[in-house]
Amino acid sequence: MSYKTLLVHIDDSRRCDARVALALDLAQRWDAHLIGLYVVCEDFAKPLFGNDDGFVAQLAALSADRRETAQQAFLAAAERAGRTAEWRTPDGSPVDVTTLHARHADLLVLGQPDPHDPATYVDRHFVGEVVLGAGRPALVIPHAGAVPTLGENVLIAWDGSREASRAIADAMPLLQRARFVSVDVVGPTHDRESGPSAIDVAAWLEAHGVRASFSTTPRLGVAGTGATLLNRVSDLHADLLVMGAYGHSRARERVWGGVTRTMLESMTVPVLMAH
């Protein structure tokens, strides 16, 4: 099993170059076709100026310049890496078009929004909406910190759910190349039922050539599962977290699972999510 088509989200943010470099490295690992999908927020300034035709024209020209700059940077990076790559700039709702194009890829590479860089804003809950709607695994890269390695030391968050099982299956190409894989169950200190489940996951992985350790981590005090997992990532020096993504719609508003929300806001290493 391998990834044959990768899709990386391109924007005008400071972190985009690092995201593209990582996507090119992954494409090199699996000799995969890489698609650069340029999707940005086009409407953030329009409400400030209403229907001023002059401003709208200036905004369109500025957007075209930024798009051209991003395209040249992406294709140049691909050429330096010795990879062929495809550039796409679809029109339409950012979430809708990204979700549609994502469904034709084996793995998505997305960036965590950075509250200190407005260029990372595409749409409200953009990353989470794409992860939940695309039906494809997404590798989400933190907005801060270097990513010197990816997939050498992997932590799997296991809770017995459909989403977690899907995430493990979707991460298998990465897991099969990892040096260390740990399966961890986070739960209350009185929960004694999670251990055998983690053992079963380790046996499943071993059938695919992945040798994994397993453990249970108590959720102590007021710390949530997400915060506990982040502590485990730090303790194990993991460079990738694999987990299911959770969320549902209620009254036209997306309601996120607590762990999913924590990771989207506070991830410290790349996170492979699947729903």
Side-chain angles (χ1 to χ4, degrees):
M1 179 181 178
S2 64
Y3 304 122
K4 288 304 181 183
T5 303
L6 307 181
L7 185 146
V8 58
H9 172 231
I10 308 291
D11 57 21
D12 302 318
S13 66
R14 294 186 294 265
R15 190 69 166 170
C16 186
D17 288 347
R19 188 162 66 247
V20 168
L22 181 59
L24 285 166
D25 178 68
L26 294 175
Q28 187 70 35
R29 292 189 197 185
W30 290 286
D31 192 24
H33 178 59
L34 180 62
I35 300 168
L37 187 75
Y38 182 79
V39 176
V40 297
C41 178
E42 297 284 1
D43 301 324
F44 68 95
K46 289 182 179 178
L48 299 177
F49 295 87
N51 295 319
D52 186 315
D53 292 340
F55 172 77
V56 171
Q58 292 178 21
L59 183 61
L62 179 60
S63 296
D65 288 343
R66 288 179 173 174
R67 183 169 58 251
E68 178 67 22
T69 298
Q71 180 178 4
Q72 292 178 1
F74 172 70
L75 295 178
E79 184 176 2
R80 289 193 300 270
R83 303 297 309 174
T84 59
E86 178 182 349
W87 174 262
R88 296 179 184 176
T89 56
D91 294 324
S93 162
V95 170
D96 291 344
V97 298
T98 304
T99 299
L100 176 61
H101 286 261
R103 288 176 179 159
H104 309 142
D106 296 317
L107 179 68
L108 322 178
V109 182
L110 307 174
Q112 178 196 24
D114 183 354
H116 302 293
D117 184 359
T120 65
Y121 180 85
V122 179
D123 205 341
R124 191 180 185 193
H125 306 313
F126 172 73
V127 172
E129 294 284 0
V130 171
V131 171
L132 267 62
R136 309 304 303 138
L139 183 65
V140 187
I141 311 303
H143 64 63
V147 185
T149 63
L150 176 73
E152 291 190 5
N153 185 1
V154 183
L155 176 64
I156 297 172
W158 177 251
D159 61 2
S161 68
R162 175 183 66 83
E163 290 82 358
S165 180
R166 175 68 182 271
I168 293 174
D170 287 339
M172 200 65 74
L174 283 160
L175 299 176
Q176 290 172 334
R177 288 173 172 251
R179 296 178 61 192
F180 305 100
V181 177
S182 304
V183 180
D184 198 78
V185 179
V186 176
T189 55
H190 63 270
D191 185 359
R192 303 300 182 189
E193 300 300 325
S194 56
S197 176
I199 295 174
D200 292 340
V201 173
W204 170 33
L205 289 169
E206 188 164 5
H208 288 273
V210 179
R211 180 159 295 183
S213 62
F214 66 91
S215 61
T216 60
T217 301
R219 188 175 66 241
L220 300 175
V222 297
T225 300
T228 305
L229 277 173
L230 289 174
N231 287 337
R232 288 293 289 160
V233 165
S234 178
D235 292 343
L236 296 173
H237 303 289
D239 62 5
L240 175 66
L241 174 65
V242 174
M243 58 173 279
Y246 307 88
H248 64 275
S249 295
R250 184 178 67 193
R252 294 180 298 177
E253 177 70 16
R254 183 71 73 180
V255 179
W256 303 103
V259 179
T260 304
R261 182 174 60 252
T262 296
M263 291 304 160
L264 290 175
E265 294 175 351
S266 306
M267 64 178 63
T268 54
V269 297
V271 179
L272 189 144
M273 294 182 169
H275 177 68

